[in-house]
Amino acid sequence: MKKKTERIALIGLLGALALVLGILENLLPPLPGMPPGAKAGLSNLVTMFAAGAIGLPAALFIAAIKGLFAFLTRGVSAGLMSLCGGLLSTLIMGILWKKTKFTPVFIGVCGAFGHNLAQLLVALWMTGFGALGYIPALALYSVVCGICTGLLLQVLLPLLEKLPVLKK
């Protein structure tokens, strides 16, 4: 019973951390030349860590909470893009984390591409083919932001793995 309670508490804490990182990220000014609403993906650190440390279902739950929060705070369009991008990104990162020996940097880049791909598909569905013009910027942004989030997780991972709740 204690392990289950600890796991639920950890998922709750990681979900809250993802929301806080998302809020902080929204306070940052947009980068010049980037598509409207483009974010660095700081909260993806949490889902990437969760996918590797506590499993894909928990990480997908955290991604869904992030998407729901975007619905509530930024509206339907942002919520749909956040939900779809977060779920696909987390799915990709979770599969790569468990099934391969890739580094967090590579996994971060793949997750960023997945996030942007899902958001692009939502934008195409909502607005038509005009969103295709964002592909070059999104591709570049995926690489840069994926590398940054992957490197940050790679640095934090030794500290995070020392958490007593993650000890097997």
Side-chain angles (χ1 to χ4, degrees):
M1 179 67 157
K2 184 179 176 190
K3 278 288 189 193
K4 186 175 181 180
T5 304
E6 287 177 351
R7 181 176 168 78
I8 291 169
L10 179 61
I11 292 168
L13 286 171
L14 290 174
L17 179 60
L19 295 179
V20 168
L21 288 173
I23 291 168
L24 290 175
E25 193 170 51
N26 285 332
L27 297 175
L28 298 174
L31 293 174
M34 287 299 112
K39 306 288 180 215
L42 294 176
S43 62
N44 289 342
L45 281 166
V46 177
T47 55
M48 186 175 10
F49 171 72
I54 58 176
L56 188 55
L60 288 169
F61 178 76
I62 293 168
I65 292 297
K66 287 174 28 184
L68 177 62
F69 186 74
F71 269 111
L72 296 172
T73 59
R74 298 189 328 230
V76 174
S77 298
L80 193 56
M81 288 187 157
S82 176
L83 181 64
C84 293
L87 290 175
L88 182 60
S89 169
T90 302
L91 183 64
I92 290 168
M93 292 186 298
I95 290 169
L96 290 175
W97 197 269
K98 289 294 185 186
K99 304 287 184 192
T100 68
K101 299 290 184 199
F102 290 124
T103 66
V105 173
F106 182 80
I107 293 170
V109 170
C110 291
F113 269 110
H115 202 285
N116 286 333
L117 173 64
Q119 289 186 324
L120 181 65
L121 292 173
V122 170
L124 287 170
W125 174 70
M126 289 173 35
T127 65
F129 292 104
L132 291 175
Y134 289 122
I135 290 176
L138 288 175
L140 174 64
Y141 205 59
S142 293
V143 171
V144 171
C145 292
I147 288 172
C148 291
T149 56
L151 281 174
L152 189 53
L153 183 60
Q154 195 166 317
V155 167
L156 293 173
L157 213 46
L159 298 172
L160 294 170
E161 289 173 341
K162 291 180 181 177
L163 293 172
V165 74
L166 296 178
K167 300 272 187 216
K168 302 237 184 227

